[in-house]
Amino acid sequence: TEGRNSGFTIDGSIARFGWSLDAQYAESRPTEDTPREGAVNVTQDNETIEAVAVRYRERSRTRSRSMNGQIARSLSRRVTLRARGSISLGTNRYDVTDNAYLAQTNGVAVKPGDPSDDYRQSYRIEATYAPNAFTSSTFGLEVARIELLQLNADRSIVNKEDRVYRSDWVWTYRLLPGLTANQRNQVSATYTHNIYVPKNNRLALSYTALTTLNARLTTHLSADLNHNLIYSPNGGYARAATDGREYFSVSDATRDYSLYGRLNYTPLSALTLSFNPTYTANQRDDRSSGTAVPTSRRRQLGLSAGANLNSGIGKHARVTGSINRSFDSRRDVSYSGGVPGYLPRTAYDFWNGSLQFTWNL
């Protein structure tokens, strides 16, 4: 395979009247020659004689152009406004660069790769409110559009356009000198439009809440706790017989829960004890009939605990090591027609450790 690339990037920034603007334009044109193997159907009098295996070289030409920028301003001591946007276009083209194989196919050319285009654009607006050093909140709205296009007629059935709308709220609050709470709430919707097969149009929704607690209880003891919840209903569109309009209909919904903990205790500068519990759960329901029918359930528990040692011995020696125990248990339930089928529980429990002694002359 032989390849080469050419391109350039332009960066710029400006600050005027309290506003700051940063922008970038980039263009890239990589080319790659690759040996290929394929088959060509040799025809005579509109009848296929045979499929001839051939070897040839194909050149792929990719061109990508992108531009992005960000503008920001502090409206007051407590409020900051930011906006950013981006746009990009990628094209992929393919050519067969040799013709030695034509003697095997009676002049019938091999078909090169399918040309395609990839177009993306997005913008985001957000505002941050920080009334003091202990509290801050950020509200954001993001809109994106993605088009993936196959240019050959026999592949155009997969052409689609995605429109993504996302809104989020992130806040941080220091409850105590050693305790900080963070939370991220996000709502998103992805509309998938199949250009030539509108009956396959889809809508995927997602509601996410991520909560984090970071605590430094003493100079030797710290703890973190993370809880994540994701609810994702999705489905297609059905045309109503009464008014002829298409209405969204939920086909299935998924719920994911996760809880992660971390506890670190350092009684000595050379010794750290840790404990890390985790719990995850997933459930999926079929909603195509109008009611929630369970299709799968999963529960998983993990525990990890151990000790780490890093101590110097005299001026020239050091001993390092660790010992850990890990436990994990998982149970899956698969439903058929609403009837649960319990799969065997899987679990593992093991120890691992290492010890190293080094001496510097």
Side-chain angles (χ1 to χ4, degrees):
T1 301
E2 299 177 359
R4 54 188 177 276
N5 190 11
S6 63
F8 63 92
T9 302
I10 301 175
D11 294 283
S13 61
I14 187 173
R16 288 291 186 274
F17 309 109
W19 293 91
S20 63
L21 172 64
D22 298 283
Q24 182 186 76
Y25 176 82
E27 185 166 333
S28 177
R29 301 183 181 185
T31 301
E32 187 176 82
D33 290 341
T34 307
R36 301 286 189 189
E37 294 184 1
V40 177
N41 291 326
V42 179
T43 61
Q44 185 176 351
D45 298 331
N46 295 326
E47 294 183 2
T48 301
I49 304 301
E50 61 178 338
V52 179
V54 296
R55 294 183 178 181
Y56 59 97
R57 295 188 67 84
E58 183 181 71
R59 175 173 298 165
S60 62
R61 295 176 290 112
T62 303
R63 183 176 182 181
S64 61
R65 289 161 288 178
S66 64
M67 183 170 61
N68 62 79
Q70 175 175 289
I71 188 170
R73 176 171 179 154
S74 296
L75 303 182
S76 67
R77 290 189 308 164
R78 297 181 175 88
V79 180
T80 302
L81 180 65
R82 295 183 181 87
R84 65 173 182 263
S86 65
I87 185 171
S88 66
L89 174 63
T91 62
N92 298 283
R93 302 293 185 267
Y94 304 90
D95 300 301
V96 177
T97 58
D98 62 20
N99 55 15
Y101 70 92
L102 294 177
Q104 302 174 249
T105 62
N106 297 330
V108 179
V110 70
K111 182 181 177 182
D114 295 322
S116 62
D117 287 349
D118 182 345
Y119 173 77
R120 299 169 185 260
Q121 68 178 38
S122 67
Y123 67 85
R124 176 179 172 85
I125 302 174
E126 66 179 36
T128 299
Y129 175 64
N132 50 55
F134 309 104
T135 308
S136 70
S137 293
T138 300
F139 301 87
L141 173 65
E142 185 174 352
V143 178
R145 177 187 173 195
I146 303 171
E147 288 192 37
L148 303 175
L149 303 176
Q150 294 289 337
L151 303 186
N152 286 344
D154 58 348
R155 291 290 311 281
S156 61
I157 194 172
V158 301
N159 291 351
K160 66 176 184 175
E161 176 189 49
D162 289 337
R163 292 182 179 268
V164 183
Y165 302 89
R166 184 179 297 114
S167 177
D168 55 66
W169 173 38
V170 181
W171 60 265
T172 300
Y173 182 55
R174 194 169 76 180
L175 303 171
L176 298 170
L179 178 61
T180 302
N182 304 274
Q183 189 174 70
R184 180 184 185 91
N185 301 280
Q186 184 180 89
V187 179
S188 65
T190 302
Y191 295 84
T192 299
H193 172 54
N194 292 273
I195 299 175
Y196 296 109
V197 193
K199 66 178 182 180
N200 292 338
N201 292 348
R202 302 284 294 178
L203 170 59
L205 302 172
S206 178
Y207 308 91
T208 304
L210 173 61
T211 305
T212 303
L213 292 174
N214 306 107
R216 187 168 182 82
L217 305 176
T218 68
T219 56
H220 302 284
L221 182 62
S222 64
D224 295 329
L225 183 65
N226 297 296
H227 177 262
N228 194 14
L229 165 64
I230 304 176
Y231 174 56
S232 306
N234 66 88
Y237 292 85
R239 188 178 300 276
T242 55
D243 56 11
R245 295 183 178 180
E246 292 186 342
Y247 293 91
F248 174 64
S249 176
V250 178
S251 61
D252 61 80
T254 303
R255 288 180 172 86
D256 291 282
Y257 306 90
S258 60
L259 184 64
Y260 300 92
R262 182 190 65 84
L263 186 66
N264 279 355
Y265 178 56
T266 309
L268 303 171
S269 60
L271 178 64
T272 300
L273 306 177
S274 62
F275 176 63
N276 300 278
T278 64
Y279 174 77
T280 61
N282 170 272
Q283 64 182 60
R284 184 177 183 275
D285 296 327
D286 186 353
R287 301 277 298 276
S288 58
S289 62
T291 59
V293 178
T295 58
S296 65
R297 298 288 188 269
R298 185 185 73 244
R299 302 290 185 269
Q300 187 168 358
L301 174 66
L303 298 173
S304 175
N308 291 274
L309 176 66
N310 186 355
S311 175
I313 302 177
K315 296 182 180 181
H316 304 283
R318 176 167 293 275
V319 60
T320 60
S322 65
I323 183 170
N324 295 276
R325 182 179 181 179
S326 299
F327 170 80
D328 185 272
S329 178
R330 172 174 168 173
R331 166 58 65 87
D332 290 87
V333 182
S334 179
Y335 292 80
S336 177
V339 179
Y342 295 92
L343 301 178
R345 184 176 68 91
T346 61
Y348 65 80
D349 186 1
F350 66 90
W351 290 81
N352 66 78
S354 65
L355 185 65
Q356 295 179 341
F357 179 80
T358 58
W359 178 274
N360 296 322
L361 299 178

